[in-house]
């Protein structure tokens, strides 16, 4: 027999009003008591009536998450963090993979609205910011991993600019002076910030990176492999490549292997994200780590904060990035 709110209240020794306050994250109830009641709800497999809640204008305890590509380990790990935090707080998460296409984004937003989700987290790029502007006027929105300066929304990002500087600093310490970058298109704010941070650190050392050594491409392995292969056949081929995500770095590793160039003794490769891919490649990748679990959890918390009271001033939270040194980078050869 399906558990009811009365069963939860009886088991917890509280009133149904208290259970309702826990579900709506309201009232002066201690965090310890909230956790106890949520644990009882989970043990009894209690689920509020989503339809009834929607019809009465209350929470449906569902949130939407738009990401570009669930096959990308970075977005997979962020989605898992969002699900874990949502579940911990009594929310279900509907994940939509958009492939960065505005028409698909519009379709998914329409579906999520029909399902009366309480709010949406957006980790996908969109060229038409009017979509986001209209959406932010109708429900709570949090943007993950990207900047949207033309629209007033909450954002949770990694410090991409600082991460780019960390990558450059690491390669400079190893003696590299001839470097290249594989980056997603500059319209993606995270990639733009990473590239700017990297180039600025080089400029401080008197090293100017030409456009010929910055390759803009899509985010997949095959794109990284193709663009890296072009760099590696040049007479002035780089001694190090900074890849703006792990997938591009895997492609660069493949290109180097096919060209007979050894990593890291002849070519250093450093990536960004530090997903599971970075530790399972051969050699394992030195990477700039994003706090993926924290990105997802903070985004959920920020969204739920908006449920309680809409905020006129939107928050921008930038999380720390860190260098993780593995075996894909080494000191440049003296002959270089």
């Amino acid at each position: 027999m399906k558990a009811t709110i009365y069963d939860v209240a009886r088991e917890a020794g509280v009133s149904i009003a208290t259970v309702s306050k826990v579900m709506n994250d309201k009232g002066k109830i201690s965090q310890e008591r909230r956790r106890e009641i949520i644990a009882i709800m989970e043990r009894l497999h209690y689920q509020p009536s989503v339809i009834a809640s929607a019809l009465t204008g209350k929470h449906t305890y569902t949130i939407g998450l738009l990401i570009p590509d669930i096959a990308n380990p970075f977005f997979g790990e962020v989605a898992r963090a969002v699900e874990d935090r949502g579940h911990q707080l009594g929310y279900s998460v509907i994940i939509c993979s958009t492939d960065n296409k505005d028409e698909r984004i519009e379709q998914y937003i329409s579906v999520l609205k029909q399902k009366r989700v309480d709010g949406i987290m957006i980790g996908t790029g969109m060229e038409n910011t009017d979509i986001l502007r209209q959406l932010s006027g109708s429900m709570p929105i949090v943007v993950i991993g990207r900047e949207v300066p033309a629209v007033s929304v909450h954002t949770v990002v990694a410090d991409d600019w600082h991460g780019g500087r960390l990558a450059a600093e690491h390669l400079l310490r190893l003696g590299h002076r001839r470097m290249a970058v594989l980056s997603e298109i500059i319209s993606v704010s995270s990639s733009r910030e990473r590239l700017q941070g990297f180039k600025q650190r080089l400029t401080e050392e008197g090293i100017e990176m030409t456009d010929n050594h910055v390759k803009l491409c899509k985010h997949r392995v095959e794109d990284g492999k193709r663009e890296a292969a072009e760099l590696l056949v040049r007479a002035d081929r780089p001694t190090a490549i900074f890849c703006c995500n792990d997938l591009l770095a895997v492609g660069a590793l493949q290109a180097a292997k096919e060209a007979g160039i050894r990593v890291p003794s002849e070519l250093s490769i450093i990536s960004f994200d530090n997903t599971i891919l970075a530790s399972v490649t051969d050699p394992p990748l030195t990477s700039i780590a994003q706090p993926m679990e924290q990105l997802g959890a903070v985004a959920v918390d920020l969204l739920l904060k908006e449920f309680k009271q809409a905020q006129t001033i939107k928050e921008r939270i930038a999380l720390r990035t860190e260098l993780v040194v593995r075996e894909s980078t080494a000191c440049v050869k003296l002959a270089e």
Side-chain angles (χ1 to χ4, degrees), residues 171 176 178-180 228 231-232 237-242 252-253 255-257 259 261-270 283 327-333 336:
L171 294 176
H176 293 278
R178 203 164 64 239
M179 294 169 259
L231 289 169
L232 297 179
R237 72 172 176 84
T239 63
I241 300 178
F242 170 43
L253 283 173
K257 184 176 181 179
I261 297 172
R262 293 171 295 176
V263 177
S265 60
E266 295 176 291
L267 174 71
S268 286
I269 296 176
I270 184 170
E327 299 170 28
S328 66
T329 51
C331 291
V332 69
K333 288 184 177 181
E336 299 290 352

Side-chain angles (χ1 to χ4, degrees), residues 164-179 197-207 239-240 270 330-332:
R165 284 183 62 88
L166 285 176
E169 180 69 37
H170 177 66
L171 294 176
L172 287 168
R173 283 200 303 268
L174 295 174
H176 293 278
R177 293 295 181 271
R178 203 164 64 239
M179 294 169 259
F198 188 86
K199 291 175 71 174
Q200 181 171 326
R201 183 65 189 91
L202 296 190
T203 299
E204 292 170 3
E205 295 297 318
I207 302 171
T239 63
I270 184 170
C331 291
V332 69

Side-chain angles (χ1 to χ4, degrees), residues 13-284:
V14 298
S15 67
I16 61 172
T18 299
V19 176
S20 179
K21 288 175 182 178
V22 169
M23 291 189 298
N24 289 285
D25 200 18
K26 294 181 178 179
K28 295 181 179 179
I29 305 170
S30 70
Q31 288 300 314
E32 182 179 358
R33 193 62 172 135
R34 286 181 187 277
R35 285 194 290 269
E36 290 175 357
I37 294 172
I38 290 172
I40 290 170
M41 292 169 62
E42 292 178 348
R43 178 161 53 80
L44 296 179
H45 302 291
Y46 169 67
Q47 292 182 329
S49 171
V50 173
I51 295 175
S53 295
L55 291 175
T56 57
K58 297 180 181 178
H59 288 325
T60 59
Y61 300 96
T62 55
I63 51 182
L65 172 63
L66 302 183
I67 56 176
D69 185 4
I70 194 65
N72 184 327
F74 169 74
F75 292 109
E77 292 185 36
V78 169
R80 177 58 184 269
V82 168
E83 278 194 309
D84 287 348
R85 183 58 174 161
H87 178 72
Q88 185 182 19
L89 298 174
Y91 284 79
S92 298
V93 181
I94 301 174
I95 301 172
C96 308
S97 188
T98 69
D99 200 28
N100 283 328
K101 294 179 179 177
D102 281 353
E103 63 273 15
R104 190 173 294 181
I105 292 169
E106 290 188 65
Q107 291 171 359
Y108 278 131
I109 288 175
S110 178
V111 169
L112 292 172
K113 281 184 173 180
Q114 290 173 22
K115 292 185 176 297
R116 296 181 181 270
V117 297
D118 293 327
I120 298 178
M121 286 167 287
I122 297 177
T124 186
M126 57 175 69
E127 294 184 8
N128 185 359
T129 55
D130 287 339
I131 300 173
L132 186 57
R133 189 175 293 107
Q134 293 169 8
L135 185 62
S136 65
S138 62
M139 67 171 61
I141 298 295
V142 173
V143 176
I144 306 176
R146 298 172 187 271
E147 304 278 5
V148 190
V151 185
S152 179
V153 290
H154 294 296
T155 56
V156 182
V157 296
D159 193 340
D160 295 298
W161 181 84
H162 179 64
R165 284 183 62 88
L166 285 176
E169 180 69 37
H170 177 66
L171 294 176
L172 287 168
R173 283 200 303 268
L174 295 174
H176 293 278
R177 293 295 181 271
R178 203 164 64 239
M179 294 169 259
V181 178
L182 299 185
S183 172
E184 289 185 66
I185 55 175
I186 301 303
S187 60
V188 177
S189 64
S190 56
S191 294
R192 182 172 64 249
E193 290 292 312
R194 293 167 197 178
L195 177 59
Q196 289 177 348
F198 188 86
K199 291 175 71 174
Q200 181 171 326
R201 183 65 189 91
L202 296 190
T203 299
E204 292 170 3
E205 295 297 318
I207 302 171
E208 293 299 327
M209 177 172 284
T210 66
D211 291 341
N212 288 336
H213 282 85
V214 177
K215 289 286 193 175
L216 303 181
C217 52
K218 294 183 179 180
H219 67 276
R220 296 182 173 86
V221 171
E222 55 268 29
D223 302 307
K225 180 180 179 180
R226 181 184 63 252
E227 299 299 338
E230 290 187 10
L231 289 169
L232 297 179
V233 296
R234 294 180 179 179
D236 64 341
R237 72 172 176 84
T239 63
I241 300 178
F242 170 43
C243 301
C244 286
N245 68 41
D246 287 342
L247 293 174
L248 294 178
V250 171
L253 283 173
Q254 292 178 351
K257 184 176 181 179
E258 291 187 6
I261 297 172
R262 293 171 295 176
V263 177
S265 60
E266 295 176 291
L267 174 71
S268 286
I269 296 176
I270 184 170
S271 71
F272 205 108
D273 286 343
N274 196 43
T275 63
I276 186 64
L277 279 180
S279 60
V280 299
T281 54
D282 182 20

